[in-house]
Amino acid sequence: MDDIAEPLRGMNVLVTGASGGIGGATAELFAAKGATVYLTDVDDAAGQDRARRLGPSAHYRRLDVTDESDWRAVVSEMEWAGHPLRVLVNSAGTAMKAPLAQTTLAQFRRMIDLHLVGTFLGLQAAASAMTTGGTVVTISSLRGVLATAGLGAYGAAKFGVRALTKVAALELAERGIRVNSVCPGSIDTEITSVPDFAADDVGSYVRTIPMQRRGTPDEVAKVILFLAGADSSYVTGIDLLVDGGTAAGVRTPRKQDTEGMR
Ligand SMILES: NC(=O)c1ccc[n+]([C@@H]2O[C@H](COP(=O)([O-])OP(=O)(O)OC[C@H]3O[C@@H](n4cnc5c(N)ncnc54)[C@H](O)[C@@H]3O)[C@@H](O)[C@H]2O)c1
């Protein structure tokens, strides 16, 4: 019974991007489920504050996901502290919107570095630290499943995250390490308030979502929990969309959406 109520009791979890929306909701849910959680980010103030609120089983450490030495330091510290890494959630990220022709090389490289190199380094850290098995959940995106005009750099990185996830799942399965990806649609967090994202008409965008609303960080965190814990024990190498039905296909406009159009 305890396993069902607290599927992560005794598990040592590292969450990147834990000062943010999805990573933060995941850290909070996992702590509530009995895990020891290392919250990591580059936003130290928010991360420290969240870890303090979560109590003694939560720790904040600075970890820039693009920096190999930061990964080594935090994973080694977990080992020394008697909390060897068993679950990794790679949630760090930021968005950037621009047509390809107007995307600078520096912007393109930044997206690849943050999402793809960051995920690569996390997978390497997990592969070396999870000597007795474990789980990794990477965060791709609906935009890593459906190509989206204006999101070339972000989308290329997120398509790549899914590829890396599947390769890692194949290579690590026999060592008892499962690796899966979550692909959120539009979730209400800071990331969607970056310049050019916020400029979009949220209302008209929401009308394209079959469920007619954006998702919440908690709704993504619950799916991450499923993939991280024992309830998904025979699942590896998948992409799980959390998108209100957007990728299912094209939705015929409802009558009220087209009223007054002619
Ligand atoms: N919110 C959405 O609609 C949405 C949709 C699809 C995918 N995603 C993905 O979900 C993940 C989490 O996004 P979110 O919505 O919680 O955004 P968020 O902005 O709330 O959180 C992202 C966090 O990543 C941190 N971060 C940025 N650069 C970092 C670095 N180099 N090293 C470590 N941390 C860094 C930020 O400080 C922030 O706390 C991202 O990978 C994002 O691409 C989000």
Side-chain angles (χ1 to χ4, degrees):
M1 194 63 186
D2 278 358
D3 280 0
I4 295 169
E6 295 178 326
L8 293 179
R9 175 150 299 284
M11 287 289 183
N12 306 312
V13 181
L14 192 164
V15 181
T16 74
S19 303
I22 294 172
T26 303
E28 287 176 12
L29 180 62
F30 281 27
K33 297 292 179 190
T36 296
V37 185
Y38 280 71
L39 296 91
T40 68
D41 207 287
V42 291
D43 180 347
D44 298 332
Q48 278 159 355
D49 184 51
R50 179 167 273 142
R52 244 191 318 271
R53 280 189 284 110
L54 290 180
S57 63
H59 313 269
Y60 176 78
R61 297 290 180 271
R62 185 181 181 84
L63 192 168
D64 177 339
V65 291
T66 66
D67 186 330
E68 199 174 1
S69 60
D70 279 4
W71 278 105
R72 241 185 265 121
V74 177
V75 170
S76 307
E77 190 195 325
M78 289 178 74
E79 186 79 40
W80 294 330
H83 301 139
L85 181 65
R86 290 296 303 276
V87 177
L88 170 64
V89 180
N90 258 313
S91 190
T94 190
M96 189 228 117
K97 190 173 187 184
L100 283 179
Q102 272 110 59
T103 301
T104 66
L105 181 56
Q107 286 173 320
F108 190 82
R109 285 196 165 130
R110 174 76 186 137
M111 284 294 105
I112 298 296
D113 214 24
L114 185 51
H115 297 108
L116 197 48
V117 175
T119 300
F120 164 71
L121 292 175
L123 287 167
Q124 284 201 324
S128 77
M130 292 179 183
T131 50
T132 57
T135 54
V136 181
V137 182
T138 64
I139 310 295
S140 175
S141 170
L142 171 64
R143 306 305 160 196
V145 176
L146 291 180
T148 308
L151 292 175
Y154 181 80
K158 292 299 195 181
F159 267 77
V161 167
R162 291 197 303 120
L164 272 185
T165 302
K166 288 174 194 296
V167 171
L170 293 171
E171 292 181 357
L172 300 176
E174 64 197 24
R175 291 181 42 201
I177 302 172
R178 295 186 297 107
V179 190
N180 292 292
S181 187
V182 169
C183 302
S186 184
I187 310 299
D188 193 6
T189 69
E190 276 299 305
I191 208 171
T192 41
S193 65
V194 300
D196 294 329
F197 263 81
D200 282 347
D201 176 352
V202 173
S204 66
Y205 177 71
V206 166
R207 282 194 289 279
T208 69
I209 302 171
M211 288 183 69
Q212 297 288 291
R213 66 174 178 85
R214 303 180 70 206
T216 66
D218 280 356
E219 289 176 308
V220 182
K222 286 179 196 160
V223 175
I224 296 172
L225 174 66
F226 167 69
L227 290 174
D231 286 347
S232 59
S233 53
Y234 197 52
V235 179
T236 196
I238 69 156
D239 318 304
L240 219 168
L241 280 149
V242 187
D243 69 343
T246 310
V250 178
R251 186 174 146 270
T252 309
R254 296 182 314 171
K255 190 160 171 277
Q256 62 264 39
D257 294 345
T258 50
E259 262 166 16
M261 280 177 71
R262 59 186 126 174

